[in-house]
Amino acid sequence: PSLALQFVDSASTTPVEKVINLLGKLTVQLEEEGAREAAQYDKYACFCKHQADEKTYQIEKSEEKLAKLAAKIEELGAKITALDGEVSELSTAITTLEGGIKTETDARSGERETYLANDKDTAEAIAAVDEAIEILQASKGKLGGGAKLNFAELKAVAGAKLAQFFAKQKPPSYEYRSNDIILTLQELSKTFKSTKKSQDEEEFAAAAASEKKVLALSNEKKFKVKSKAQKEALSAELSEEKAGKEKEQTDETAAKNADTEFRTELTKQCEDKAQEWDQRSKSRAEELRVLAEATATLKSGVAPNYSANKKLVGLAATSASLKRHTSNVTSKALPKKNQTAVSLLQLGRGSGSAATAATKVLASLAKAAEHLKSAELSALAARASTMEDHFEKVRGLIKDLVAKLEAEALEEADAKSYCDKEMAAATSDRDTRSAELESAKAELVGKEAAKAQLVNDIKTLSQEVADLNKAMMEATELRQIEKTDNAKTVADASTGKAAVEEAMNILKTYYQSLLQKSSAPVVDREGKALSDLTPETFEGEYHGNTDASKGILGLLEVIYSDFERTVSTVETAESDAQSAFQTFETETKSSISDKESLIKTKEAEVEQIEEAIVTAKETIQTTFGLKTSALEELEKLSAMCVGGAESYEERQAQREKEIQALKEALQTLEDW
């Protein structure tokens, strides 16, 4: 049903009457709004003057403060630059002093090492000379005037320092002249001692001078390090003060800019508001005129013709009825796509015997698995319970597990090659016959299921042909009735649309949609937006009471749409219904022909399958006898060849129980 008709039902009046009533209320509302806006504009004009004066005063104060901050920041910057230059010079001087101290220390260390080496040599020479003198004086008393002195011994005693002096002496002996030699050695001792004294005095003087120089350099360095630290601390203090002033400058600049922008926006909005007041006064007067004209048009042209739209409800119901009927018949009679094949167990559930057999097999396997604690039987029962076609695939699973268990029994036997060869041949023969038997049984079951399916398909197709013929007759009768009703509805729905369109044009010419762009609000230094401070007043140019007009135009558009849809929907429905009927007629006749042909084909297939069933039964009987012989042969070989310890016997007994349980389950399926 149309929205307008729903509105009529809920309000117990027509949408046209509702629109006329809303237009009257809107006229009264516009007159009241005009008086209220006049008072608001007077209050807004006073607000504009007050805010402009206040922001101008705050901007002037900010400019004075910023000038002072700029001068202070410049002064601090100059001081910091000077201090940083002095710190750099002190750093260079400290580095130079440290180099001088190191140079002097290294030089003194070298001089000290040279002195120690020379002092050692001199001391050794003095000791050698003194010892030589003592030896000569001692030998003089023992040898007398004509005694001889071995100067080789004296040279060894005097040491290397006297080697040069005795270089001209030739061992082994010389005529004694000890007095001259002693006198010479005594002079030499005095010379050495005098030299040592001079070296000691020079070393002391050099060490004192070096220490004095290093002390002077160290004191100068200490003073400069202290001065550098003081200047760095002062520079850091001034830098911190400068950073604070700069932040204060930034904050004050931001506050000044905010107030300036706020004042600019205030001026613009106040000027715009004055223009808006003039425009709104004129526009409201024009709106009142338009509302009066639209009301007169609705009363004279739309209200008398609106009842034609009630046909939309009946049309929807009739169309839905025909579609439901066609869909119901088609869904029953026409063939369905993607139908899933029915499993063998599902086909047998109608009679109950197949389901009982399958259930019995699964229960038997589960019970045997629990009793024997067999993982193989448990896995088999679980897999069999999830399969769709239990009869064919479960037998295959049982066969595979029986073969596996029997093969395991044979593999555990420790027999000679003859037993292995014969049992392998017997096992192969048994498996071959079992596979052939299972294949033949599966083929038989498949053929019987196919036959049952074909018989059921023939019955279903025959019923569908009858349903299609009946549906064709009913659809033809409904189509003729619907065609007559649609022709009358189209004729009745065209008159009321013109008057509604005229009234809408009158209102839309005046009410125009206004796209309003929004942006981030301008705020002052306190974070307050202009909209937070302005007194309550009207906003923007006046384009009529757009909120109320939207509701009125919305109702008129619904009324217009109802008239328009009544015509277009009925014409489209008639065209679609005729096209659908023709399609339905073609498809139905084609389907009837296809189904009749399919019935003949399936009847021929039934005859072929019946012949195949007879052949499959004969194959099963023959193959079963061969399998029995193979099993008997295998049992004989097992009794003859298989033996072992107690652990083997226990395993064999367990395996036999499992095989017996499987055979019982297999026999249940074979006997069905």
Side-chain angles (χ1 to χ4, degrees):
S2 69
L3 295 175
L5 290 176
Q6 293 177 1
F7 180 80
V8 171
D9 293 339
S10 62
S12 300
T13 184
T14 67
V16 177
E17 293 171 347
K18 182 65 176 177
V19 171
I20 293 172
N21 184 36
L22 290 175
L23 289 172
K25 292 181 179 180
L26 180 57
T27 299
V28 175
Q29 180 182 348
L30 291 175
E31 292 173 349
E32 294 174 350
E33 287 177 353
R36 183 171 62 255
E37 287 186 4
Q40 290 175 344
Y41 180 70
D42 290 341
K43 185 176 180 180
Y44 187 84
C46 295
F47 162 79
C48 289
K49 184 178 184 306
H50 172 73
Q51 286 294 324
D53 293 343
E54 181 180 353
K55 296 306 175 188
T56 299
Y57 173 72
Q58 290 178 346
I59 291 169
E60 291 174 352
K61 286 182 62 179
S62 293
E63 290 174 347
E64 294 177 0
K65 183 176 181 180
L66 288 172
K68 294 179 181 179
L69 287 172
K72 184 62 176 178
I73 291 171
E74 183 178 0
E75 177 186 351
L76 291 172
K79 291 181 179 180
I80 292 170
T81 301
L83 286 171
D84 291 344
E86 293 175 1
V87 168
S88 178
E89 293 176 357
L90 287 171
S91 297
T92 302
I94 290 170
T95 302
T96 302
L97 289 171
E98 289 175 346
I101 292 172
K102 185 177 184 304
T103 300
E104 179 61 26
T105 301
D106 293 343
R108 176 83 281 275
S109 177
E111 291 174 355
R112 178 66 177 173
E113 290 177 359
T114 301
Y115 160 74
L116 292 175
N118 293 334
D119 184 66
K120 180 180 178 183
D121 293 341
T122 303
E124 290 176 352
I126 293 172
V129 170
D130 290 342
E131 185 177 0
I133 292 171
E134 291 178 2
I135 292 172
L136 289 174
Q137 288 177 349
S139 64
K140 178 180 179 182
K142 294 178 181 179
L143 298 177
K148 295 182 179 179
L149 177 64
N150 190 332
F151 284 98
E153 294 179 2
L154 179 61
K155 181 179 180 181
V157 174
K161 295 298 183 179
L162 300 178
Q164 185 177 4
F165 178 78
F166 294 109
K168 297 179 180 181
Q169 298 293 327
K170 295 182 179 181
S173 63
Y174 187 80
E175 292 297 326
Y176 183 78
R177 292 187 298 177
S178 59
N179 292 331
D180 294 337
I181 294 172
I182 291 172
L183 181 62
T184 300
L185 290 174
Q186 289 176 344
E187 290 297 327
L188 183 60
S189 176
K190 291 179 181 180
T191 300
F192 284 158
K193 290 178 179 179
S194 176
T195 299
K196 185 177 185 308
K197 181 179 179 182
S198 297
Q199 289 176 346
D200 291 342
E201 291 175 352
E202 289 175 0
E203 171 62 18
F204 178 79
S210 178
E211 290 177 0
K212 182 178 180 181
K213 183 177 181 181
V214 170
L215 180 60
L217 292 174
S218 298
N219 289 335
E220 185 178 359
K221 174 189 171 185
K222 181 178 180 181
F223 172 76
K224 292 185 180 296
V225 168
K226 182 178 179 181
S227 178
K228 177 187 173 185
Q230 292 174 345
K231 292 181 182 297
E232 286 177 341
L234 180 58
S235 177
E237 182 179 350
L238 294 177
S239 297
E240 183 178 357
E241 182 181 358
K242 180 173 176 287
K245 295 296 182 181
E246 288 174 342
K247 183 179 184 306
E248 187 177 355
Q249 182 186 46
T250 300
D251 294 342
E252 189 63 29
T253 300
K256 172 180 171 293
N257 292 340
D259 285 345
T260 302
E261 187 177 1
F262 185 91
R263 184 179 63 179
T264 301
E265 181 66 18
L266 174 69
T267 302
K268 179 180 178 302
Q269 288 193 19
C270 290
E271 292 175 352
D272 291 344
K273 186 67 68 176
Q275 296 176 0
E276 289 172 5
W277 166 243
D278 293 338
Q279 184 274 334
R280 292 172 71 87
S281 299
K282 296 176 181 178
S283 182
R284 186 174 286 104
E286 178 64 14
E287 182 180 12
L288 291 171
R289 184 193 66 78
V290 168
L291 292 177
E293 184 178 353
T295 301
T297 300
L298 290 173
K299 287 181 178 179
S300 62
V302 179
N305 299 310
Y306 184 74
S307 60
N309 289 323
K310 293 182 179 180
K311 301 298 293 181
L312 282 175
V313 179
L315 176 62
T318 302
S319 177
S321 175
L322 177 59
K323 289 181 179 178
R324 285 196 302 271
H325 174 78
T326 302
S327 175
N328 185 39
V329 173
T330 303
S331 63
K332 292 181 179 178
L334 296 179
K336 299 180 180 178
K337 299 181 180 179
N338 300 325
Q339 290 182 332
T340 304
V342 183
S343 70
L344 179 61
L345 182 59
Q346 291 170 334
L347 288 173
R349 285 175 181 167
S351 61
S353 60
T356 302
T359 304
K360 183 177 179 181
V361 168
L362 295 177
S364 176
L365 289 174
K367 182 177 180 182
E370 181 179 2
H371 176 69
L372 298 175
K373 308 299 182 183
S374 173
E376 289 84 355
L377 293 182
S378 298
L380 175 62
R383 291 179 61 191
S385 65
T386 61
M387 290 186 173
E388 292 183 353
D389 192 350
H390 294 284
F391 279 84
E392 181 176 354
K393 295 185 178 179
V394 172
R395 279 200 297 268
L397 291 174
I398 295 174
K399 177 196 71 175
D400 293 342
L401 186 53
V402 169
K404 176 184 175 184
L405 294 174
E406 291 175 347
E408 288 177 353
L410 294 176
E411 289 173 0
E412 290 186 5
D414 184 16
K416 295 180 179 181
S417 60
Y418 171 79
C419 289
D420 294 339
K421 179 179 179 181
E422 292 301 322
M423 290 189 72
T427 301
S428 177
D429 185 31
R430 179 205 62 195
D431 292 345
T432 300
R433 300 308 177 186
S434 296
E436 292 174 353
L437 180 61
E438 293 304 322
S439 177
K441 288 182 178 180
E443 182 180 1
L444 175 61
V445 172
K447 295 297 183 181
E448 290 177 343
K451 176 184 175 182
Q453 182 64 45
L454 287 171
V455 171
N456 185 65
D457 290 346
I458 292 171
K459 180 180 178 182
T460 301
L461 289 170
S462 299
Q463 182 61 43
E464 289 176 353
V465 169
D467 292 340
L468 288 172
N469 285 323
K470 179 181 178 182
M472 189 68 220
M473 295 177 61
E474 293 176 349
T476 302
E477 182 180 355
L478 288 173
R479 175 83 279 272
Q480 187 58 42
I481 295 172
E482 183 182 24
K483 183 176 182 179
T484 302
D485 290 343
N486 287 342
K488 183 177 184 300
T489 301
V490 170
D492 294 340
S494 300
T495 304
K497 188 173 69 171
V500 175
E501 186 175 7
E502 181 182 358
M504 289 174 63
N505 287 336
I506 293 172
L507 294 174
K508 285 182 178 180
T509 300
Y510 176 75
Y511 292 111
Q512 299 295 329
S513 299
L514 181 63
L515 297 176
Q516 296 181 347
K517 298 181 180 179
S518 61
S519 59
V522 177
V523 297
D524 61 8
R525 68 177 64 211
E526 297 176 355
K528 294 182 179 179
L530 187 58
S531 58
D532 298 332
L533 302 173
T534 55
E536 182 181 0
T537 183
F538 51 84
E539 292 293 336
E541 292 185 359
Y542 185 76
H543 292 277
N545 194 325
T546 54
D547 291 337
S549 66
K550 287 178 182 178
I552 294 172
L553 286 171
L555 284 174
L556 289 176
E557 287 172 356
V558 171
I559 296 170
Y560 180 84
S561 176
D562 286 345
F563 282 126
E564 192 174 49
R565 285 192 309 113
T566 298
V567 176
S568 63
T569 302
V570 172
E571 290 176 347
T572 301
E574 172 59 25
S575 176
D576 292 344
Q578 182 61 29
S579 177
F581 174 76
Q582 291 174 353
T583 301
F584 174 74
E585 183 180 30
T586 300
E587 292 178 351
T588 301
K589 290 180 179 180
S590 176
S591 180
I592 291 173
S593 177
D594 292 343
K595 290 179 186 298
E596 290 174 345
S597 176
L598 188 57
I599 289 172
K600 294 179 181 180
T601 301
K602 289 182 179 292
E603 288 174 345
E605 291 178 0
V606 170
E607 294 178 359
Q608 296 176 357
I609 291 176
E610 288 176 344
E611 295 176 359
I613 290 174
V614 173
T615 301
K617 289 181 178 179
E618 293 174 352
T619 302
I620 291 172
Q621 185 176 2
T622 301
T623 305
F624 183 76
L626 294 173
K627 178 185 176 184
T628 302
S629 298
L631 290 174
E632 291 174 354
E633 179 66 18
L634 184 60
E635 289 177 359
K636 291 177 182 179
L637 290 171
S638 297
M640 179 179 65
C641 299
V642 176
E646 182 178 356
S647 60
Y648 167 75
E649 293 174 354
E650 292 176 352
R651 292 196 303 273
Q652 182 67 12
Q654 173 71 8
R655 189 177 293 104
E656 288 297 334
K657 291 179 182 179
E658 292 178 348
I659 293 173
Q660 184 61 34
L662 291 170
K663 288 181 177 179
E664 290 176 359
L666 185 61
Q667 190 63 39
T668 300
L669 295 176
E670 291 175 348
D671 292 342
W672 174 74

